[in-house]
């Protein structure tokens, strides 16, 4: 029996076996990806050399096997050093590694490098999807949960976290505090600004929309106040301003 013409053409062009693209088809510089000489090398690398260690150390990534694979296939771990964005144009294969920390989903892809040349590579799909692509995303990734700052259960005496009626009010507080040249003056001016703008201790969860202004002040050995004026939404969808110490120290 003859195959229908449209199906025959689809098989010939590879469309019948195409896989869904990832949420993010861009691989920014700074996120690691394996690049290979061709798809055959990439397939060998993924099939044979991306694996977990045997028992009793299973469910941990087999790093030794991975580096042996780079040598055997001619592939390289080039993403961190590369400047510019790789664009994924087609997913050729997916493979799941059962790690103790959770499943790691890898994709073998065909793409275009920053110079517009075709590339064959392998990338961690979930890792690339979650990689911060803006300054705000990078900031919230270290301080928030899925973009939400949570004031519930915090001690307002030990945490600078205030809600203001508008983002402009929060910006005014931070701008005023920034005029203080010592920690004491900084905190005093911040307190005056909070009172003037009628800001109150935050009590709920807030989704961060924008980071508007910052002011830093040293507060001792390995202690820094990173005062931020933020635009955010509360759980009802109302836009508010936040004054928040985002220091990680």
């Amino acid at each position: 029996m003859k195959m229908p013409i449209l199906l025959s053409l689809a098989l010939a062009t590879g469309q019948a076996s195409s896989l869904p693209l990832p949420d993010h088809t861009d691989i920014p510089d700074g996120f690691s990806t394996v690049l290979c000489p061709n798809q055959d090398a990439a397939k060998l690398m993924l099939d044979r050399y991306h694996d977990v260690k045997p028992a009793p150390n299973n469910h941990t990534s087999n790093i030794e096997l991975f580096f042996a694979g780079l040598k055997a296939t001619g592939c390289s771990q080039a993403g961190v050093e590369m400047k510019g964005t790789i664009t994924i144009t087609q997913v050729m294969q997916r493979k799941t590694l059962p790690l103790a920390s959770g499943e790691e989903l890898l994709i073998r892809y065909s793409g275009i490098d920053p110079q517009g040349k075709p590339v064959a590579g392998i990338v961690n799909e979930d890792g690339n999807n979650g990689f911060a692509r803006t300054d705000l995303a990078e900031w919230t990734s270290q301080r928030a949960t899925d973009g939400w700052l949570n004031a519930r259960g915090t001690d307002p005496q030990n945490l600078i976290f205030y809600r203001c009626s508008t983002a402009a009010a929060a910006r005014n507080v931070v701008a005023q505090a920034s005029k203080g040249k010592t920690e004491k003056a900084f905190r005093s001016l911040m307190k005056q600004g909070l009172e003037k703008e009628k800001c109150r201790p935050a009590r709920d969860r807030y989704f961060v929309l924008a980071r508007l202004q910052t002011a830093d002040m040293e507060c001792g050995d390995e202690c820094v106040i990173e005062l931020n004026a933020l635009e955010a939404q509360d759980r009802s969808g109302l836009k508010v301003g936040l004054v928040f110490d985002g220091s990680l120290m």
Side-chain angles (χ1 to χ4, degrees):
M1 183 176 66
K2 290 187 175 181
M3 186 179 299
I5 294 177
L6 290 178
L7 179 57
S8 177
L9 288 174
L11 289 172
T13 58
Q15 293 175 11
S17 59
S18 63
L19 298 172
L21 290 170
D23 292 342
H24 284 287
T25 57
D26 61 314
I27 305 175
D29 54 20
F31 190 80
S32 180
T33 182
V34 170
L35 297 179
C36 296
N38 50 55
Q39 287 296 341
D40 288 339
K43 180 171 175 53
L44 178 62
M45 183 71 197
L46 183 59
D47 288 345
R48 185 177 300 178
Y49 296 104
H50 277 87
D51 210 342
V52 296
K53 290 185 176 181
N57 298 312
N58 51 329
H59 302 306
T60 59
S61 184
N62 195 330
I63 301 300
E64 295 81 7
L65 182 65
F66 172 80
F67 282 107
L70 295 181
K71 184 176 180 180
T73 61
C75 300
S76 63
Q77 196 170 17
V80 174
E81 296 82 6
M82 181 173 290
K83 298 301 180 184
T85 298
I86 294 175
T87 302
I88 298 172
T89 56
Q90 186 176 0
V91 174
M92 315 300 292
Q93 180 183 356
R94 279 182 166 88
K95 180 178 180 178
T96 301
L97 294 184
L99 302 177
S101 57
E103 292 184 342
E104 180 176 316
L105 183 60
L106 302 172
I107 57 174
R108 176 169 62 90
Y109 65 87
S110 176
I112 303 296
D113 75 5
Q115 288 72 47
K117 297 178 181 178
V119 294
I122 301 166
V123 72
N124 182 317
E125 182 171 5
D126 291 332
N128 188 58
N129 283 338
F131 186 73
R133 285 164 169 77
T134 66
D135 291 340
L136 177 63
E138 183 175 0
W139 186 86
T140 56
S141 70
Q142 300 177 67
R143 297 164 177 85
T145 302
D146 295 329
W148 292 84
L149 291 174
N150 190 2
R152 293 182 294 184
T154 60
D155 182 358
Q157 298 299 319
N158 297 318
L159 178 65
I160 301 172
F161 195 170
Y162 290 84
R163 170 178 173 152
C164 306
S165 58
T166 65
R171 188 196 287 265
N172 290 341
V173 173
V174 174
Q176 180 160 321
S178 68
K179 297 175 184 177
K181 303 305 178 185
T182 65
E183 182 191 354
K184 183 177 180 179
F186 183 90
R187 289 184 180 275
S188 177
L189 288 170
M190 179 187 69
K191 183 178 179 181
Q192 292 175 29
L194 291 169
E195 292 174 350
K196 179 181 179 182
E197 298 294 342
K198 296 182 172 57
C199 302
R200 297 289 182 265
R203 303 292 188 190
D204 207 344
R205 297 173 66 239
Y206 307 90
F207 187 81
V208 180
L209 300 174
R211 190 174 175 221
L212 305 175
Q213 189 167 344
T214 65
D216 295 343
M217 173 56 64
E218 293 186 5
C219 49
D221 292 337
E222 297 186 356
C223 175
V224 175
I225 301 171
E226 181 202 86
L227 198 64
N228 294 269
L230 306 172
E231 183 179 28
Q233 279 184 330
D234 66 13
R235 287 189 298 155
S236 72
L238 179 67
K239 286 189 177 181
V240 298
L242 299 177
V243 176
F244 176 75
D245 178 12
S247 173
L248 299 175
M249 300 178 67

